[in-house]
Amino acid sequence: VNAGEYDAFAECLTDKGAMMYGAWWCPHCTNQKKLFGVSFKKIKYIECAQPGNPNAQTRECDDAKINGYPTWVFADASRVEGEASFDVLAQKTTCTMPQL
């Protein structure tokens, strides 16, 4: 597996407690994953769509009160709903933003 160019940033986000809730069918989630490229595998990702029923949300996501995708949740319980830029994610976690 090739290392992704944003691996260190993605690992830092996960180490700082950031997680992304999303759904496989969500175009904004796809865009967010594309932003990270192969480094997305280092992000703590929670799939909210129930297998076989894209209209139903998993209990974990219901319990987390996820209302839209993607939703980023941070260690301080704050959240960002929608696609988040590297700049925003860096600010929320004190991770060093990768050079784009």
Side-chain angles (χ1 to χ4, degrees):
V1 179
N2 290 339
E5 65 182 312
Y6 305 125
D7 280 5
F9 183 58
E11 285 174 0
C12 181
L13 293 176
T14 297
D15 289 347
K16 299 275 186 178
M19 350 180 222
M20 183 184 133
Y21 290 84
W24 59 266
W25 50 261
C26 157
H28 295 290
C29 301
T30 301
N31 291 344
Q32 188 76 81
K33 291 173 185 176
K34 281 182 183 162
L35 187 64
F36 283 92
V38 296
S39 300
F40 190 78
K41 67 184 180 296
K42 306 273 187 188
I43 296 290
K44 179 162 185 193
Y45 174 71
I46 295 93
E47 175 62 50
C48 291
Q50 287 192 3
N53 185 355
N55 298 320
Q57 184 166 267
T58 63
R59 177 174 299 284
E60 182 178 10
C61 295
D62 282 343
D63 290 348
K65 297 184 174 36
I66 302 302
N67 300 315
Y69 313 120
T71 296
W72 287 89
V73 178
F74 302 95
D76 65 358
S78 68
R79 34 179 84 192
V80 171
E81 295 186 354
E83 293 176 47
S85 67
F86 281 174
D87 187 41
V88 166
L89 294 171
Q91 288 174 18
K92 297 291 289 178
T93 58
T94 69
C95 293
T96 303
M97 192 171 99
Q99 298 306 309
L100 301 177

